[in-house]
Amino acid sequence: MEGARIRRIAFVGNYLPRQCGIATFTTDLCEAVAAAAPETTCFAVPINDRPEGYAYPPRVRFEIPEEDLTAYRRAAEFLNINDVDVVCLQHEYGIFGGPAGSHVLTLVRELRMPVVTTLHTILREPNGEQRAVLEELAALSDRVVVMTQRGKEFLQTIYGVPESKIDLIPHGIPDVPFVDPNFYKDRFGVEGKIVLLTFGLLSRNKGIEYVIEALPAVLERHPNVVYIVLGATHPHVRQVEGESYRLFLQRRARELGIEQHVIFHNRFVSLEELVEFIGAADIYLTPYLNREQITSGTLAYTVGCGKAVISTPYWHAEELLADGRGILVPFRDAKAIAEAVNRLLDDEAERHAIRKRAYLYGRQMIWPVVAQRYLESFERARAAGTTRTRVAIPTLNQRPDELPVLKLDHLKRMTDDTGILQHATYTVPNYDEGYTTDDNARALIVAVLLEELGGKAATEAPELATRYLAFLWHAFNPETGRFRNFLDYNRHWLEAVGSEDSHARALWGLGYVVGRSRRPGLWKLAGRLFDEAMPAALAFTSPRAWAFTILGVQEYLRRFYGDRTALQARETLADRLFQLYQKNRRDDWRWFEDRLTYANARMPHALMMAGYWTGRSEWLEAGLESLRWLVGVQQDKQGNFVPIGNDGFYPRGKKRPHFDQQPIEAHATVSACLEAYRITNDAFWYREARRAFEWFLGRNQLGVPLYDPSTGGCCDGLQPNGVNENQGAESTLAFLLSLLEMKLAEAYLPLQQKRVEQRMVESAGVANGASAEI
């Protein structure tokens, strides 16, 4: 390909009119490259964070819904068959679906042309998933673009990216003349005023309150100062907390008596308007609170426009404002901000010297220059020669079947202000049957996994999780230390103490909240309840209750690995399971009991997980051996998943019943097999998880689906003559849990080896007495 003209370039990232910094950057870069190379076709492939998308311009050729993993594959097919010569990808964790934005890897893995990736965030202390995603993305990319020297250093020292693969290209800026601020002030009604400016999408990490706190001291010496806060609240922030941050800032200005000196312009402005606002500013401020910000488009714009800038010392500011191009002040220090503003207003010569140095430095950042450097990077990528081969659309053996789209309609239909109802008549909730702790514990895990999946699904999580957690809180009786299980529709408990299994399932759900939720109000309450409910589980005699408790403890230990009570409980219960397995195991019956009954896969799941994390190889091997035997038993000659029927279950040496087949068996098998895959990296386990999941979709003995895509519900079981058409909570939750676990696993499949290696390192650290987060 060396020497061949680049004919088609695709820019992947957010795109205007979506309101975010990445959208602005991608749009500006695409237009700048198109202007610099008029013989080249440039088009965009944006990521949508809402179903209806945006009113994009003609340059947009293909749209990717953020959370639809299959859309990333289709986008790759679209780019491959349209003879795109180079893909320019904009990477920021939060704009792509999946944990740590891992869905983008599905796109990049299947592209058959050179990929040049611009990294807008490079974390110094990434978590395991963030590190794995960025390392693989860098490995798959032919060139990696960073905007700062510090970013280049991080890529080399933290992520192991070779220097020869990295291009340092600054953030692009518009090319504007060096003008007197007074030229623009009359357009905004601030003529004769000294204008301080902050712009960008509002969120609480912007630190604007510290500028407002500084204004009284500034106004004492310069009473004609006005502070303009330009920009709408970030759309994702507005979804969660509305305009609470802006209202807080406005309230604080009024409390300080400076409201006549503060202007809030609550709008996402065009580039032309933005240039005029920047032009009118005498001093620009970025009082951000987070040091670990590797790039800031707003800072780049203002430096390039020749503004006197005062900023906190986040990473990009330290680099861009060096050598007298601006003033740095400490984080969260209103007094220092006031002193810096007064210093520049008192010394006009220094202010203008800073402006001139910034403007001259910014000449290397204007979009025509930056576009040319990107074109050079694209040529280097092509000259290096990508190792990818051009292929047609993949055949079935090259790609797994697509997972269903996540639909929560029936879950929400079954949920009311109390919790999730137990049963349904067809698709209609059955009030007569009331609620159970069992189902609300399962539903709580669904809510936590929705949060972990991210994207639009995560917006549903907080309300649902709060409702289900409140149910468990109400179900717990501190006098007995036990959970009640059955609650009628009139909110009367039907028993003083629930079953051992229901108690253990509650611990399982609470453990998920503690270990995985990022919402302190949820995991703190769940942790308190977990501690109070944990002691009772040690007296249980049900092996399945032991298993559910172990699974809950393991999730709990993600956050509180040093909890000795939890560690000892895991040890005690796992050893009981192992002793039970040794007692009942035979060469032709590798199981924990003398019969197979319900929730069977939970026992090997719990034992192998405990064995893995404690280093007890005999537990791990017993768990894997029993699970392998179970998946063999649960399979017919046609390769269908066939769970043990509940019509008498399956005593050793007797004839096994094939019906009724229950959804909870399919979910238990999916979950256990995925865990076995994570532990062993053996693809056999992923195939078995897939086999069990496809039981819901019609790969079963009757060839009929149990999942109803029109409602988002799941039928209550497979009977000899068809499905039980009632869509109750247990079955619907079993399907949703299976789907969520499969979606999370699918996003990580190619990262599996790195995850296994990382876990082994962590496990070794734990064995040496180190405290670690799982």
Side-chain angles (χ1 to χ4, degrees):
M1 290 187 297
E2 187 172 2
R5 181 173 66 85
I6 296 178
R7 296 166 302 149
R8 296 171 70 81
I9 305 171
F11 293 83
V12 179
N14 296 351
Y15 210 82
L16 294 176
R18 180 170 173 177
Q19 297 181 7
C20 76
I22 302 295
T24 301
F25 181 91
T26 308
T27 305
D28 289 346
L29 177 60
C30 181
E31 293 299 327
V33 171
E39 74 285 358
T40 299
T41 299
C42 296
F43 66 89
V45 178
I47 314 300
N48 288 338
D49 61 342
R50 61 187 192 184
E52 65 273 23
Y54 296 88
Y56 290 118
R59 272 206 202 277
V60 170
R61 291 287 311 279
F62 192 98
E63 302 174 40
I64 303 176
E66 180 180 319
E67 288 302 327
D68 185 356
L69 190 61
T70 61
Y72 291 81
R73 293 197 185 102
R74 294 183 186 125
E77 292 172 1
F78 174 83
L79 296 171
N80 288 335
I81 66 177
N82 277 279
D83 292 327
V84 171
D85 294 305
V86 176
V87 166
C88 182
L89 173 71
Q90 309 306 311
H91 180 261
E92 164 67 56
Y93 290 107
I95 71 174
F96 300 106
S102 56
H103 283 5
V104 70
L105 299 177
T106 298
L107 168 69
V108 181
R109 290 178 200 125
E110 300 195 17
L111 293 175
R112 308 304 170 198
M113 71 291 291
V115 176
V116 176
T117 297
T118 302
L119 300 175
H120 292 259
T121 295
I122 307 172
L123 300 174
R124 183 170 61 181
E125 297 179 354
N127 63 33
E129 312 304 352
Q130 291 165 336
R131 177 189 291 274
V133 168
L134 189 56
E135 285 179 349
E136 185 179 348
L137 182 59
L140 290 169
S141 300
D142 297 86
R143 306 294 301 174
V144 180
V145 176
V146 297
M147 302 185 196
T148 64
Q149 182 63 36
R150 191 188 296 262
K152 182 177 180 180
E153 293 168 1
F154 282 1
L155 274 189
Q156 294 175 255
T157 59
I158 300 172
Y159 299 92
V161 180
E163 182 179 11
S164 60
K165 196 174 189 176
I166 305 172
D167 291 324
L168 175 54
I169 305 176
H171 194 296
I173 60 172
D175 186 7
V176 298
F178 187 75
V179 298
D180 186 327
N182 292 313
F183 180 80
Y184 287 109
K185 288 182 180 180
D186 61 330
R187 302 192 185 187
F188 308 112
V190 291
E191 59 271 22
K193 302 283 187 181
I194 297 171
V195 176
L196 313 182
L197 174 68
T198 295
F199 81 86
L201 294 171
L202 261 63
S203 60
R204 291 187 183 275
N205 64 348
K206 298 297 185 182
I208 294 170
E209 60 269 31
Y210 292 96
V211 179
I212 290 174
E213 297 280 353
L215 282 179
V218 172
L219 291 167
E220 285 182 10
R221 295 194 10 208
H222 302 279
N224 61 335
V225 161
V226 63
Y227 178 40
I228 299 177
V229 180
L230 171 65
T233 298
H234 194 291
H236 291 174
V237 172
R238 192 164 57 242
Q239 284 181 350
V240 175
E241 58 182 62
E243 295 286 353
S244 61
Y245 181 56
R246 184 186 304 277
L247 293 173
F248 159 71
L249 296 174
Q250 293 173 349
R251 184 169 61 251
R252 188 63 185 131
R254 292 188 180 95
E255 290 171 352
L256 294 170
I258 57 172
E259 62 267 32
Q260 69 272 30
H261 297 278
V262 182
I263 298 172
F264 285 90
H265 194 68
N266 183 10
R267 196 160 60 85
F268 187 83
V269 297
S270 67
L271 177 61
E272 292 75 15
E273 291 176 289
L274 177 59
V275 168
E276 293 180 352
F277 270 105
I278 295 173
D282 294 283
I283 296 175
Y284 181 74
L285 298 108
T286 57
Y288 300 164
L289 306 181
N290 180 16
R291 178 180 294 276
E292 297 187 353
Q293 184 163 338
I294 204 75
T295 59
S296 169
T298 61
L299 182 65
Y301 276 31
T302 50
V303 167
C305 289
K307 294 289 109 176
V309 179
I310 298 171
S311 176
T312 50
Y314 54 90
W315 291 337
H316 196 193
E318 286 182 324
E319 192 164 318
L320 203 53
L321 301 183
D323 301 325
R325 294 188 292 271
I327 294 177
L328 298 177
V329 296
F331 292 102
R332 304 173 188 272
D333 192 334
K335 181 180 179 183
I337 292 173
E339 290 173 351
V341 171
N342 282 329
R343 168 185 157 187
L344 291 183
L345 294 182
D346 290 343
D347 190 339
E348 186 173 359
E350 181 186 12
R351 187 169 81 250
H352 287 300
I354 289 174
R355 288 189 61 207
K356 184 176 180 180
R357 285 190 289 267
Y359 185 79
L360 292 175
Y361 183 81
R363 296 308 86 204
Q364 64 180 315
M365 299 161 57
I366 60 175
W367 276 118
V369 174
V370 168
Q372 188 58 46
R373 296 194 51 189
Y374 267 92
L375 286 168
E376 293 167 2
S377 181
F378 299 158
E379 292 289 359
R380 280 193 288 272
R382 283 165 54 84
T386 180
T387 58
R388 304 179 182 94
T389 57
R390 292 186 179 274
V391 297
I393 297 173
T395 57
L396 283 175
N397 67 318
Q398 295 173 314
R399 171 181 297 170
D401 292 340
E402 295 176 356
L403 295 170
V405 174
L406 180 67
K407 187 170 186 175
L408 301 178
D409 296 29
H410 193 58
L411 175 70
K412 292 188 283 189
R413 186 181 301 118
M414 293 289 290
T415 300
D416 64 13
D417 291 341
T418 299
I420 189 166
L421 288 147
Q422 181 179 191
H423 289 141
T425 305
Y426 297 105
T427 61
V428 180
N430 185 341
Y431 295 159
D432 290 342
E433 302 293 336
Y435 316 82
T436 68
T437 293
D438 279 327
D439 290 330
N440 279 275
R442 295 183 183 105
L444 183 57
I445 297 175
V446 167
V448 173
L449 294 182
L450 287 172
E451 180 184 349
E452 187 170 351
L453 187 63
K456 184 177 184 298
T459 64
E460 308 279 1
E463 182 177 353
L464 293 171
T466 300
R467 202 162 296 180
Y468 304 139
L469 181 57
F471 186 97
L472 296 188
W473 179 259
H474 181 56
F476 185 70
N477 184 348
E479 295 180 2
T480 62
R482 293 288 300 277
F483 288 95
R484 294 161 287 208
N485 192 19
F486 294 101
L487 181 74
D488 71 19
Y489 189 67
N490 294 316
R491 299 186 180 181
H492 299 136
W493 289 106
L494 304 181
E495 60 197 348
V497 176
S499 67
E500 291 184 2
D501 283 6
S502 66
H503 187 102
R505 284 193 183 95
L507 289 171
W508 180 41
L510 294 169
Y512 262 83
V513 179
V514 174
R516 303 195 188 206
S517 177
R518 294 183 294 273
R519 297 181 178 274
L522 296 178
W523 65 254
K524 288 180 180 179
L525 176 60
R528 175 179 167 184
L529 188 52
F530 188 95
D531 287 341
E532 292 186 35
M534 182 67 220
L538 295 175
F540 291 166
T541 59
S542 164
R544 283 158 188 77
W546 301 342
F548 280 115
T549 301
I550 292 169
L551 296 177
V553 167
Q554 192 60 52
E555 293 295 329
Y556 173 89
L557 290 173
R558 284 174 175 262
R559 190 177 299 274
F560 297 126
Y561 197 87
D563 189 325
R564 292 185 58 81
T565 300
L567 291 167
Q568 290 169 358
R570 180 180 65 182
E571 186 92 11
T572 298
L573 297 177
D575 189 59
R576 288 183 193 171
L577 273 180
F578 180 65
Q579 297 302 326
L580 192 66
Y581 183 68
Q582 286 189 310
K583 177 182 176 181
N584 288 280
R585 181 194 181 279
R586 303 290 185 272
D587 288 343
D588 63 343
W589 187 265
R590 301 187 179 190
W591 198 242
F592 299 81
E593 300 169 300
D594 63 357
R595 64 172 52 205
L596 287 164
T597 57
Y598 65 96
N600 292 303
R602 296 300 178 192
M603 291 187 285
H605 185 174
L607 187 57
M608 68 179 171
M609 181 181 278
Y612 179 75
W613 285 108
T614 60
R616 296 287 294 271
S617 60
E618 68 275 23
W619 293 356
L620 174 58
E621 291 167 6
L624 291 170
E625 178 185 74
S626 56
L627 182 60
R628 188 177 288 269
W629 179 82
L630 177 65
V631 297
V633 170
Q634 296 183 140
Q635 190 176 141
D636 66 12
K637 293 180 180 180
Q638 289 72 42
N640 298 312
F641 173 71
V642 185
I644 304 302
N646 66 3
D647 184 13
F649 296 117
Y650 181 21
R652 184 169 58 201
K654 305 289 178 130
K655 184 178 179 181
R656 60 161 291 181
H658 282 201
F659 299 98
D660 290 354
Q661 298 175 23
Q662 300 295 304
I664 60 167
E665 301 304 318
H667 171 237
T669 305
V670 167
S671 190
C673 289
L674 288 177
E675 187 63 37
Y677 178 69
R678 283 187 284 267
I679 289 173
T680 66
N681 203 31
D682 184 346
F684 165 82
W685 293 114
Y686 182 76
R687 291 194 298 271
E688 291 304 316
R690 190 85 205 191
R691 187 195 311 274
F693 179 75
E694 290 173 357
W695 176 87
F696 289 104
L697 307 181
R699 187 183 174 186
N700 51 53
Q701 286 184 303
L702 300 185
V704 295
L706 287 89
Y707 171 60
D708 181 352
S710 68
T711 66
C714 179
C715 295
D716 279 350
L718 197 64
Q719 300 170 330
N721 58 347
V723 297
N724 179 338
E725 295 185 38
N726 296 328
Q727 296 180 8
E730 181 183 279
S731 54
T732 295
L733 292 167
F735 173 77
L736 289 174
L737 287 167
S738 300
L739 178 60
L740 287 165
E741 290 189 40
M742 290 295 293
K743 281 182 176 289
L744 289 166
E746 187 180 53
Y748 289 143
L749 281 177
L751 303 177
Q752 185 58 34
Q753 185 59 48
K754 290 181 182 179
R755 287 166 56 85
V756 170
E757 292 170 357
Q758 179 187 344
R759 284 189 170 195
M760 294 303 291
V761 170
E762 292 173 349
S763 182
V766 169
N768 292 327
S771 175
E773 179 181 346
I774 300 170

